[in-house]
Amino acid sequence: MRILVSGGAGFIGSHTVVRLIENGYDVTVFDNLYNSKITVLDKIEKITGVRPDFRLCDMLDYDSLENIFKEDHYDAVIHFAGYKAVGESIEKPLMYYDNNIRGTLNLLELMSKYNVKNLIFSSSATVYGIPDKCPVDETAKLFCLNPYGRTKLMIEEILRDLCIADKDFAAVLLRYFNPVGAHPSGLIAEDPNGIPNNLMPRIIQAAKGEIKELKVFGDDYETRDGTCIRDYIHVLDLADGHVAALNYVFKNRGSVAVNLGTGNGLTVLELINAFEKVNNIKVPHSFAPRREGDSMSTYADASLAKKLFGWEAKLTVDDMCRDAWKGALNYE
Ligand code: UFG
């Protein structure tokens, strides 16, 4: 079976491609390399022994995207491609709506035209905004605090509408919590463009001495140590979640949204401490004011993924910290 992976050269995409190949799927990746490098293909080949087919393609370029659909038949599409920086989306909302929404519409139109009716979509726990309660399950109310998040929510709505209109179409909307870690080989890892905003890349910069210290945003939340709680999940567990979701999408029609998290909440300080301990390195840090728009606590009720896909996260916080550091040291 051949799977088309949009954004397959990126962080979560490349790890998923590895797992797809290891599970016997043929893979075609397309990516515009806006936030990724072509060398990732060599690394995927080194890990799996197989080089995925690659097409340099921007999903906004309808004709070039159509050529990919003309070349082969795909049994399913896994759709990662999209802009993902919260701050940038506030500064450039039209760029985010244009790329993420129009790009997805192009993809969906071509899927319909070429009779590809199975989709896994890369959504995010960001659609829960600031949850009223945790663990948060898929029935929680949805709202977003920034244009990036709204593009995820709008695409979810588009897919729900499409599955109502076309009874042959199936879409699994995977709501990721906080992906961290890297392939244990250290060959593929997160490679944020410009100045990273997320916690793990900032921890790594502080550990490397690239920044003087990590700013911990807020020490006065009502949590066990005053810092925010998140559900960090190893990117390889996340990748396995996609393989499990594929098995589901082939057997079911309609749309379903499913959390991919561990179900365990960790504070910012707990993650820093785990990183320092497992890697035997200091992460210089100090407290700064709360960051606007941050939820105090967001962690998953991950039971639906187990029920529907038989999937649950297996890797530990120590695995996440060790692999993230190894990836950061090895990554070229
Ligand atoms: N944090 C710091 N210092 C930093 C960076 C982050 O203290 O330099 C804290 C944040 O305040 C937060 C936690 O670390 O408490 C995690 O922050 P991230 O920015 O890593 O992650 P978020 O949970 O805010 O957001 C992430 C992604 C979004 C995604 C969302 C889904 O950035 O793209 O998870 O919940 F939508």
Side-chain angles (χ1 to χ4, degrees):
M1 282 211 263
R2 181 162 289 277
I3 313 298
L4 180 64
V5 182
S6 85
F11 174 48
I12 304 171
S14 57
H15 286 84
T16 302
V17 170
V18 165
R19 288 305 214 208
L20 288 171
I21 292 171
E22 287 172 349
N23 279 276
Y25 289 102
D26 296 317
V27 177
T28 299
V29 169
F30 81 83
D31 202 301
N32 66 359
L33 300 179
Y34 172 79
N35 196 12
S36 54
K37 296 195 183 93
I38 189 78
T39 49
V40 78
L41 298 175
D42 303 331
K43 296 167 180 180
I44 292 172
E45 187 176 2
K46 214 165 178 180
I47 293 168
T48 63
V50 175
R51 193 174 184 83
D53 279 347
F54 177 78
R55 305 281 177 274
L56 182 64
C57 173
D58 192 314
M59 60 185 175
L60 294 182
D61 180 349
Y62 189 89
D63 293 341
S64 133
L65 192 55
E66 180 155 23
N67 286 336
I68 299 175
F69 279 87
K70 279 181 187 158
E71 276 167 25
D72 221 321
H73 176 74
Y74 306 100
D75 296 285
V77 174
I78 306 185
H79 179 31
F80 294 104
Y83 293 151
K84 60 173 186 179
V86 171
E88 187 183 48
S89 79
I90 295 168
E91 283 159 25
K92 299 174 184 170
L94 298 184
M95 182 175 116
Y96 270 66
Y97 289 119
D98 187 45
N99 186 67
N100 292 7
I101 306 291
R102 193 155 63 90
T104 301
L105 289 175
N106 284 348
L107 187 62
L108 294 176
E109 270 179 39
L110 288 166
M111 286 178 68
S112 290
K113 186 168 172 186
Y114 289 87
N115 207 26
V116 181
K117 301 282 177 132
N118 300 309
L119 179 76
I120 311 286
F121 172 59
S122 172
S123 189
S124 166
T126 198
V127 298
Y128 297 122
I130 296 180
D132 291 336
K133 66 171 180 65
C134 271
V136 58
D137 71 30
E138 292 82 355
T139 62
K141 113 179 155 280
L142 306 178
F143 86 103
C144 288
L145 295 154
N146 54 68
Y148 155 75
R150 275 187 279 277
T151 68
K152 291 291 179 194
L153 189 48
M154 285 175 192
I155 294 168
E156 284 203 3
E157 301 289 12
I158 290 167
L159 291 171
R160 279 188 273 273
D161 287 340
L162 179 59
C163 289
I164 290 168
D166 180 352
K167 300 290 179 223
D168 291 334
F169 205 91
V172 177
L173 325 174
L174 295 178
R175 294 178 179 158
Y176 310 150
F177 282 70
N178 290 60
V180 296
H183 194 270
S185 64
L187 285 168
I188 49 175
E190 191 168 14
D191 181 22
N193 243 347
I195 303 163
N197 294 312
N198 295 114
L199 181 58
M200 186 57 92
R202 298 295 279 180
I203 288 178
I204 287 167
Q205 282 192 315
K208 281 182 168 174
E210 291 174 0
I211 53 173
K212 198 169 128 261
E213 56 187 9
L214 164 76
K215 299 279 182 213
V216 175
F217 299 137
D219 64 351
D220 57 351
Y221 287 99
E222 286 165 36
T223 60
R224 37 192 186 266
D225 60 22
T227 65
C228 290
I229 293 178
R230 293 289 182 278
D231 186 338
Y232 299 95
I233 173 165
H234 197 294
V235 64
L236 273 187
D237 272 332
L238 208 58
D240 284 337
H242 292 73
V243 177
L246 261 187
N247 294 332
Y248 175 88
V249 88
F250 288 136
K251 295 191 202 110
N252 295 277
R253 298 297 87 192
S255 69
V256 64
V258 180
N259 288 341
L260 290 188
T262 64
N264 300 316
L266 215 65
T267 69
V268 174
L269 289 179
E270 285 165 350
L271 187 67
I272 295 172
N273 290 339
F275 189 95
E276 289 186 325
K277 206 163 157 212
V278 74
N279 295 313
N280 193 24
I281 189 157
K282 282 272 158 239
V283 177
H285 59 276
S286 66
F287 292 108
R290 292 180 178 197
R291 183 171 70 176
E292 202 184 325
D294 261 346
S295 139
M296 174 172 78
S297 183
T298 299
Y299 59 95
D301 177 331
S303 54
L304 188 61
K306 187 164 185 199
K307 187 171 150 215
L308 296 184
F309 310 156
W311 170 92
E312 60 187 327
K314 294 192 182 72
L315 297 167
T316 64
V317 177
D318 285 0
D319 296 325
M320 300 176 207
C321 292
R322 191 189 50 246
D323 294 340
W325 185 231
K326 186 169 180 196
L329 294 180
N330 277 15
Y331 200 76
E332 296 148 22

